[in-house]
Amino acid sequence: MTPFSFNRARDTTQALELARHGARYLGGGTNLVDLMRETVERPAALVDVTGLSRDITDTPGGGLMIGAAVTNSALAAHPQVRTRYPVLARAILAGASAQIRNMATVGGNLLQRTRCTYFYDAEGSRCNKRQPGQGCDAKDGFNRIHAILGASDACVATHPSDMCVAFAALDAVVHLSSATGTRTLPLTDLHRLPGDHPQLDTVLEAGELITAIELPSSPLAAHSTYRKVRDRASYAFALVSVAAAIQVEDGHVSDVRLALGGVAHKPWRATRAEAALRGQAATPDTFRAAADAELAVAVPLRDNGFKIELAKRTITAVLAELAGVDA
């Protein structure tokens, strides 16, 4: 491991000051420290931000404000999250182990990097995300877990988070601070698709710090769920996951939110499927047609074509469950 300096920030102002010269922020460290051990990441300086806000508070508009240093376990166990945003609690509990959830922070979860095997293999594999211009061994290698949506010639990796898929479906808003001020942006705009620059995971500016994540008020969100399809029941990342919320009135879909995990370089908001569902009869055939519309642009690799049908079936089953109809 490369030597590095370490400082602990007492507040946002000090964190920003300490990070002025290129230091990396450290939350629970469950991803960054792993990458440092593998020499994929080699920061010269770390700023511990676990002392920042761990509060979960109501907003004036009826939503929730979640401090970036809140642990995954604390968020999943919060009574307001479990009752008003069950999709989020279920997504968190589907990820990692209890020990990791006890350490990992919400802000850190948003910034975790891909679990692509070739990305982690710093000595033996080519990876444009790790070293731009090197090439992508995953494209012609073992790519069963890789992207079917939004990939590029430069990178076919997937984003590993379960929590972020739920945040995407819930229209979460990320609060940011930097030396020049504060700003907010939708969670769906935080992460980038790979394009020609897969080394850039997010749109964050140098030294910018995630301070909170805001969940807007949403009656729809109370009727939501998360389903994760994986090779084994624990310690496995999603092959396909679905975060969904739906409102049915007089047998028709009046509103819906849908996001997918395990299929793209970022949490994938299924806007095509949402548009196809609104105003339509809440039936399995409608749900399947909406899934077909969303996956029409999917581009499979040699080993992961099964994800297309798996995603369609999972979307259909989850929506049918929420709507109370037989799939």
Side-chain angles (χ1 to χ4, degrees):
M1 185 180 288
T2 304
F4 58 90
S5 65
F6 179 86
N7 288 284
R8 180 172 286 113
R10 62 177 177 271
D11 54 30
T12 298
T13 300
Q14 187 181 39
L16 295 173
E17 177 63 26
L18 289 169
R20 282 180 56 196
H21 303 294
R24 294 287 301 277
Y25 296 120
L26 179 72
T30 58
N31 184 215
L32 179 56
V33 173
D34 279 348
L35 292 171
M36 292 169 65
R37 290 194 187 104
E38 299 295 333
T39 69
V40 175
E41 297 274 11
R42 298 174 178 172
L46 295 177
V47 177
D48 185 330
V49 292
T50 54
L52 304 188
S53 175
R54 294 195 175 198
D55 295 331
I56 302 174
T57 58
D58 291 318
T59 65
L64 285 182
M65 188 70 73
I66 303 161
V70 171
T71 65
N72 291 10
S73 291
L75 184 60
H78 195 278
Q80 295 298 326
V81 173
R82 294 175 65 184
T83 57
R84 292 160 57 185
Y85 307 94
V87 62
L88 178 57
R90 291 169 186 170
I92 295 169
L93 294 175
S97 66
Q99 293 92 334
I100 290 175
R101 294 194 299 267
N102 288 342
M103 286 292 296
T105 63
V106 174
N109 188 286
L110 268 60
L111 298 181
Q112 65 180 304
R113 308 199 71 186
T114 183
R115 286 336 197 259
C116 173
T117 303
Y118 300 98
F119 173 70
Y120 270 79
D121 185 13
E123 301 300 325
S125 300
R126 298 177 304 153
C127 175
N128 289 319
K129 178 179 282 293
R130 192 180 62 244
Q131 185 175 335
Q134 190 177 59
C136 175
D137 278 347
K139 285 186 62 179
D140 297 316
F142 183 65
N143 44 46
R144 184 172 179 272
I145 67 169
H146 289 73
I148 56 173
L149 293 168
S152 71
D153 288 338
C155 184
V156 294
T158 54
H159 194 270
S161 174
D162 294 290
M163 180 190 293
C164 286
V165 182
F167 276 145
L170 292 170
D171 297 314
V173 175
V174 182
H175 289 246
L176 302 166
S177 290
S178 69
T180 59
T182 61
R183 66 171 175 143
T184 61
L185 75 162
L187 182 282
T188 50
D189 291 341
L190 174 67
H191 301 96
R192 296 166 47 99
L193 290 177
D196 295 327
H197 301 284
Q199 74 278 13
L200 303 175
D201 292 332
T202 72
V203 299
L204 294 184
E205 300 169 359
E208 201 164 24
L209 175 65
I210 297 174
T211 57
I213 297 87
E214 181 178 358
L215 293 178
S217 174
S218 173
L220 178 69
H223 193 54
S224 62
T225 195
Y226 184 78
R227 184 174 296 187
K228 180 178 182 178
V229 183
R230 46 189 163 174
D231 285 323
R232 56 188 188 277
S234 63
Y235 305 108
F237 295 97
L239 296 171
V240 169
S241 65
V242 175
I246 192 170
Q247 181 175 343
V248 177
E249 296 179 354
D250 298 324
H252 289 72
V253 179
S254 58
D255 203 2
V256 64
R257 299 289 186 276
L258 192 64
L260 308 179
V263 296
H265 201 258
K266 61 183 287 185
W268 188 266
R269 181 67 179 264
T271 54
R272 293 182 183 87
E274 290 178 355
L277 286 166
R278 291 190 179 96
Q280 301 301 309
T283 67
D285 287 344
T286 299
F287 302 151
R288 175 68 190 213
D292 288 341
E294 190 63 45
L295 276 298
V297 295
V299 178
L301 300 167
R302 184 193 63 214
D303 301 323
N304 70 356
F306 72 94
K307 282 192 176 189
I308 297 176
E309 181 62 21
L310 181 61
K312 291 178 180 181
R313 293 188 182 193
T314 307
I315 290 168
T316 302
V318 169
L319 292 174
E321 176 190 334
L322 288 172
V325 298
D326 293 330

